[in-house]
Amino acid sequence: FLLEFLNSLDHLEAAGHVCFLKDSFSCESSLVVSKLISSENFDAALAIHLYKAGRLLQGSRIPFGVIFGGTDINEDTKCEEKVRVMEAVLNEARFIGNALLTGIPHDGNSLCYFLLICGLRRVKDPLYLADAFAEWHREDPSVQLIIIGPAVSFFPSFISRADGVHLLKEIPQEDLHAAVKKCFAVVNSSISEGMSAALLEAMDLNVPVLARNIPGNAAIITHQETGLLYSNPEEFVQLSKSLISDPCLQRKIVARAKEYVTKHHSWEHERNAYQNFVLSLH
């Protein structure tokens, strides 16, 4: 990831920006960083790692953004004190991102993003929620819809006009799982679906799911129990707002979804089923 960031610095410098890279381990406190900012007369700052670097920019006199490093999401969130610090940093940051979400605008409020993982095909209907979500985003800039899938030529131009809706290219499964764990909810908007692996993986990762009310989705989701089913974009927004404002409902859905996946869709059961199927052929 550092190599990717260094490449980004090259692009920034090529655009005429003067960049200065400082190792957070060499900074004893935010006071050291504050003095550095004053002496070098920086216009903005970018912290790599929400806790290790972000905490050094708290109270900064210049605008700053934060890029997640990996351990801040996967490990530091297990420490209550670090979580408190990271939440404070997020509240001050102008934008946040990671190797996956770099550059998504952030207005200083806690970012609440929904993740739609799909191939950008007609049957997946990835733009089904775009207009309704853009309207919601204009009302509440903290909500964002991230669509992850292989790029199609007409999608970027459309999405560039939809506030709060972003398209990202395919990413490795490890990075995708990290993004799922960080998002507020995983979304499905398909016209037709067999059995959505993205929804089942989200349920297994303890992330709420909101899915279009079609037979394939309804077969694995019980409304208000293991997830939420919506019939139109307006209902999606309504249900999403209810879920955001009701932590008890969130916890219930996540717990029951995990129970459902463990009981009916575990990899052990799938492995045994395939083995039994093969044995039955002899």
Side-chain angles (χ1 to χ4, degrees):
F1 173 63
L2 181 57
L3 290 177
E4 293 179 6
F5 181 72
L6 291 175
N7 288 335
S8 298
L9 287 184
D10 290 339
H11 294 315
L12 291 172
E13 290 176 340
H17 299 286
V18 177
C19 300
F20 183 93
L21 184 62
K22 183 72 172 179
D23 187 350
S24 61
F25 285 109
S26 67
C27 301
E28 298 177 358
S29 68
S30 57
L31 180 60
V32 173
V33 175
S34 179
K35 290 181 178 179
L36 178 64
I37 290 172
S38 297
S39 63
E40 298 292 338
N41 198 28
F42 292 139
D43 295 314
L46 181 61
I48 307 176
H49 200 284
L50 184 55
Y51 179 73
K52 293 176 182 177
R55 62 192 175 92
L56 298 174
L57 289 172
Q58 283 186 273
S60 176
R61 66 174 182 81
I62 59 173
F64 69 88
V66 179
I67 294 178
F68 298 126
T71 55
D72 43 9
I73 299 174
N74 299 321
E75 298 298 328
D76 291 340
T77 50
K78 300 174 183 177
C79 173
E80 184 176 341
E81 174 59 22
K82 289 183 178 180
V83 168
R84 184 189 64 77
V85 172
M86 292 191 291
E87 286 179 346
V89 173
L90 285 176
N91 286 333
E92 293 186 40
R94 291 290 184 89
F95 73 86
I96 64 174
N98 57 20
L100 171 68
L101 302 174
T102 302
I104 292 175
H106 183 50
D107 69 347
N109 296 319
S110 296
L111 185 65
C112 177
Y113 76 84
F114 294 72
L115 201 57
L116 172 57
I117 306 162
C118 65
L120 303 186
R121 297 178 286 129
R122 186 176 301 278
V123 70
K124 298 297 183 180
D125 207 3
L127 298 181
Y128 180 63
L129 299 171
D131 288 337
F133 209 99
E135 183 177 347
W136 183 21
H137 172 77
R138 288 190 287 270
E139 171 191 321
D140 180 359
S142 70
V143 295
Q144 311 268 347
L145 176 63
I146 315 299
I147 303 173
I148 298 182
V152 176
S153 59
F154 71 87
F155 273 87
S157 61
F158 177 92
I159 288 178
S160 67
R161 301 192 301 271
D163 296 335
V165 181
H166 311 271
L167 173 64
L168 300 179
K169 296 180 181 180
E170 292 176 288
I171 58 175
Q173 187 178 48
E174 182 178 352
D175 293 337
L176 184 58
H177 282 177
V180 169
K181 291 177 182 178
K182 186 64 180 175
C183 77
F184 175 74
V186 167
V187 179
N188 178 285
S189 60
S190 298
I191 296 171
S192 176
E193 193 73 67
M195 184 173 63
S196 171
L199 292 180
L200 291 173
E201 287 183 354
M203 294 161 74
D204 188 52
L205 292 171
N206 299 308
V207 175
V209 296
L210 292 99
R212 196 167 178 174
N213 194 359
I214 56 174
N217 290 336
I220 62 174
I221 295 173
T222 301
H223 185 58
Q224 299 280 3
E225 293 292 325
T226 58
L228 297 175
L229 296 170
Y230 63 90
S231 299
N232 54 62
E234 292 72 28
E235 187 179 16
F236 166 81
V237 173
Q238 177 188 351
L239 290 171
S240 297
K241 289 180 178 180
S242 297
L243 190 62
I244 290 172
S245 64
D246 192 344
C248 291
L249 178 61
Q250 294 175 33
R251 289 192 292 269
K252 183 187 80 169
I253 284 177
V254 165
R256 294 187 178 177
K258 179 70 172 183
E259 291 173 2
Y260 169 81
V261 171
T262 301
K263 182 177 180 179
H264 298 284
H265 297 278
S266 70
W267 69 267
E268 292 95 340
H269 291 164
E270 185 172 332
R271 178 190 60 189
N272 292 336
Y274 273 107
Q275 289 177 342
N276 292 334
F277 173 72
V278 172
L279 289 174
S280 71
L281 297 177
H282 294 285

